[in-house]
Structures are given as structure tokens and as C-alpha cells.
Amino acid sequence: MAKSDYYETLGVKRDASADDLKKAFRHLARKYHPDLNKGSKEAEEKFKEINEAYQVLSDPQKKAQYDQVGHVEFGPGDTSGYRPPSYDDLFRDYGLGDIFNAFSGGSRRMRQRAGADLRYDVEVTLPDAFYGTKNTVAVPHDSVCGTCHGTGAEPGFLRDCPACRGTGELRSPQNVGNRRIMSIAQCPDCGGGGKIIDKPCRTCQGAGAIQKTRRIEVSIPRGVEDGQFLRIAGEGEPGENRGSPGDLYVVVHVKKHEVFERQGADLNTTAVVGLATALLGGEITVPTLTGSAVLKIPPGTQSHTLFRLRGQGMPFMNSDNRGDLMVKVVVKIPANLTKKQEALMKEAFVGVSSG
């Protein structure tokens, strides 16, 4: 089967500089390296192609020869037992330290992993959101087993893997062109952990962790809005190999209120007034979240007029300032009038209708 053009394999032009070649290889290595594509034969074959292309084009002599005559047997020949170089090899032999640092952080066995973040939803009332409150949440999470301390083995039943001598890796030298590099693969006997469990832990059944429920008190701040989240650092899942724990994100949901409708820091409500008050003016009492307030109704107020009571709304987050209370006045028209009321109304409006 004919090999692909090395320049096409790396996705670079034929006049690409050494830096361009390194950047292209770095990008493809991040995508296809078998360490990041466990069990994928396609990724392994693709990595072999880009690895071979980079080895040739990054070597001035081989590159010159390739540009003149095309493909020659630069590779290792029989690749049936091919083991891709680890990030350690890339770091040391290819000068691609940022790949090593970004993805391995050291040997595979000792790689630290941050714990997963957790989400918890809480529901609060509108008064709770107004005054602020505390809420205790029960968060289920994995915790390091206290019996085996995360090893998964009964105390005294954990030993170094004899195949890799506790390193978690199998190393074998490999000739690639005129270079000799060390191929590093995960030890199949211990799965890269470097340890063999002779007897699983009776507490966690070998998992190394048990699920517990942790109760955490969460402070809900004044003015919190529906859908806002609170980040509690370090209260997520524990990390692996002493990696940092994840965070807990508490998402706040504010219940609907029977009197007030919230719009940001403003509150909306409705007040019903009688016809006489709307015509002649007067004062009404309207509810607020802290009690009540007096609203002046000017003479001739039309139904569905909107009034603003400043500073009677919700508090702004992290501020002493408050939004406004918007009161929509609805004029109630009497459904049934007595004959006396009807006569009085006609007398009162005779001038208006004639004008």
C-alpha cells in the first residue's frame, strides 16, 4: 500500500519551517496519541504515520533525500510490534516539552487528576432571596476509603508489580531511523498502577473509595436571582493521585410569589381601587416584602396606570441599594347600581357628557 505524502500527513506546505513542522506534529500528536485514544487501532495507525513523517521531515538530511526521491525505508521496517513513544519520549527526543507538560505532568502512573465538579439545585422563597438565608445541602460524593486509604487492597495485601517492578510502565528501546528512542507502554499486569492487589479491601470491595453524603451549609446572599449559581471551592469530588478536588456549584431557584412578580431587582404587583378613589383621588395601602406602603392616587386615575414606589423592590447583589416596586392600579367598576346610585352617577357625569 502506497504511503501518503509526508507533507500532506502533517498538513504543511513543502517549504514549511522547522517550527511549522513542530507545531503541526504537536497538534496531531495531541489528537491521535494512543495514550489519549485507549484501544483505538485507527488512532494508533494514524499516530505511526504522523510520527514517521515528522521524524523524516525534521531531519535535514532525510528531508533533503525525501524531497529528491520520495519515500524510502526511513521507518523501523516491521511494525507489527510497534509501540508508540510516550509523551516522555516526545519531550526528551523530539523537543516537544509542552506536549509532555500539558498531558502527562510526569509519568503516567503518578499523573494527578483534578476531581469532578458537582452541581446541587436548591429552591428558596422570594422573602429568602430578599433577606438572604442559609441552606444545608446533602451532597453525595466519593470519599477515599478509610480502610485501604485509596489503594483498593486490604492492609498488607498490596505489593509491587513484578512485571514492571512497581513503575507501572514497560520500557523497550527502539530504533527509528538513525535514532534510538525508548518506547514506554502501560504495564498490562497492573494496569499502569505499579501495584498488585492480592486481596481486595473488604470495605470498598477494591474500589478505593466509598460513597458518602456530606452536609454543607450554603449561605444564600441577599438579592440572589433565579438561576444564579454559587461556587463553593474544593467541595466537589476528590482528585486522583493527590490531585486537587473539584468544586460544588449550587444553583438557586426562586419560587414564584403569590403577590409579587420579580423582574431583576424590581417587583411588580397589582392593586384594585374603587371608582370613587380613581375619580376623586385618595390613598391606598399596598403590600411590600417588608410590610406595607402608602400609595397616593391622583384624581382621574385611569385603570391599569402604573405607579412606581422607589426603593421598595429587591436588593441588588452585594449592595445596600434596592430596586423599585411597580404597582399597576386596576379600577373596579361596580357591576350593579341601585337606582339612587345610578341617579347620582348621571347627575355627576351630566356635565362631562354634555361637554
Side-chain angles (χ1 to χ4, degrees):
M1 181 177 179
K3 292 185 177 181
S4 301
D5 180 81
Y6 286 153
Y7 292 96
E8 292 179 0
T9 299
L10 293 180
V12 297
K13 297 180 180 180
R14 301 190 75 84
D15 60 349
S17 65
D19 285 341
D20 291 334
L21 291 171
K22 184 178 293 187
K23 289 178 182 177
F25 178 68
R26 180 189 301 119
H27 172 74
L28 294 171
R30 286 172 175 165
K31 185 175 181 181
Y32 293 107
H33 197 285
D35 282 1
L36 305 179
N37 298 271
K38 300 294 185 183
S40 173
K41 293 295 183 182
E42 182 180 353
E44 183 176 335
E45 291 299 320
K46 184 66 176 178
F47 185 80
K48 281 195 283 188
E49 293 178 14
I50 63 175
N51 189 32
E52 180 180 327
Y54 181 71
Q55 291 167 25
V56 173
L57 297 183
S58 62
D59 186 303
Q61 293 182 349
K62 291 182 180 180
K63 182 177 183 299
Q65 184 179 356
Y66 176 79
D67 290 341
Q68 290 179 358
V69 300
H71 284 287
V72 293
E73 197 60 34
F74 291 113
D78 179 17
T79 61
S80 59
Y82 174 81
R83 287 177 178 172
S86 71
Y87 287 115
D88 190 13
D89 295 324
L90 297 177
F91 171 67
R92 183 180 59 252
D93 295 316
Y94 295 170
L96 301 173
D98 50 340
I99 293 180
F100 174 84
N101 293 329
F103 288 97
S104 44
S107 69
R108 182 187 302 110
R109 183 168 61 92
M110 298 304 295
R111 185 184 306 162
Q112 292 182 339
R113 293 183 185 276
D117 293 335
L118 296 176
R119 168 177 171 154
Y120 195 94
D121 293 75
V122 299
E123 194 173 51
V124 299
T125 64
L126 189 62
D128 286 340
F130 180 88
Y131 290 106
T133 186
K134 293 185 181 296
N135 199 309
T136 300
V137 299
V139 182
H141 71 107
D142 289 334
S143 179
V144 175
C145 176
T147 301
C148 66
H149 304 289
T151 66
E154 276 287 298
F157 289 90
L158 185 69
R159 58 187 172 90
D160 285 346
C161 173
C164 64
R165 298 182 181 180
T167 65
E169 301 170 336
L170 296 180
R171 295 173 175 250
S172 59
Q174 183 179 10
N175 293 324
V176 180
N178 62 352
R179 294 186 179 187
R180 185 174 179 82
I181 65 173
M182 183 67 69
S183 179
I184 304 176
Q186 176 177 289
C187 176
D189 289 4
C190 64
K195 300 291 183 180
I196 297 294
I197 297 175
D198 291 327
K199 184 178 180 180
C201 174
R202 65 183 182 279
T203 303
C204 64
Q205 286 75 50
I210 56 177
Q211 191 172 82
K212 293 184 177 180
T213 299
R214 184 170 66 252
R215 302 183 70 83
I216 303 172
E217 187 176 73
V218 179
S219 294
I220 310 295
R222 296 179 69 241
V224 66
E225 294 193 36
D226 184 72
Q228 285 189 321
F229 64 85
L230 309 173
R231 174 177 172 267
I232 305 176
E235 292 294 349
E237 293 286 5
E240 297 180 15
N241 295 322
R242 299 184 180 180
S244 59
D247 298 330
L248 172 64
Y249 289 88
V250 178
V251 183
V252 181
H253 303 279
V254 182
K255 296 179 183 178
K256 290 186 177 180
H257 196 273
E258 58 183 9
V259 175
F260 302 106
E261 180 181 347
R262 185 175 182 177
Q263 194 169 27
D266 293 336
L267 294 175
N268 297 288
T269 190
T270 300
V272 178
V273 300
L275 182 60
T277 303
L279 293 173
L280 304 176
E283 294 183 347
I284 62 172
T285 301
V286 295
T288 69
L289 278 176
T290 57
S292 61
V294 175
L295 176 63
K296 292 183 178 181
I297 306 296
T301 294
Q302 302 296 310
S303 184
H304 291 72
T305 298
L306 200 62
F307 292 88
R308 181 189 299 270
L309 291 176
R310 297 191 179 277
Q312 292 295 329
M314 295 291 293
F316 291 95
M317 282 276 287
N318 302 318
S319 173
D320 294 330
N321 297 325
R322 291 171 58 182
D324 301 329
L325 175 61
M326 311 300 294
V327 182
K328 181 171 68 175
V329 170
V330 177
V331 179
K332 183 178 181 181
I333 305 297
N336 298 304
L337 297 175
T338 64
K339 289 184 178 181
K340 183 177 180 180
Q341 289 173 330
E342 186 176 346
L344 290 173
M345 292 294 291
K346 287 181 178 179
E347 181 180 348
F349 284 99
V350 66
V352 176
S353 61
S354 62

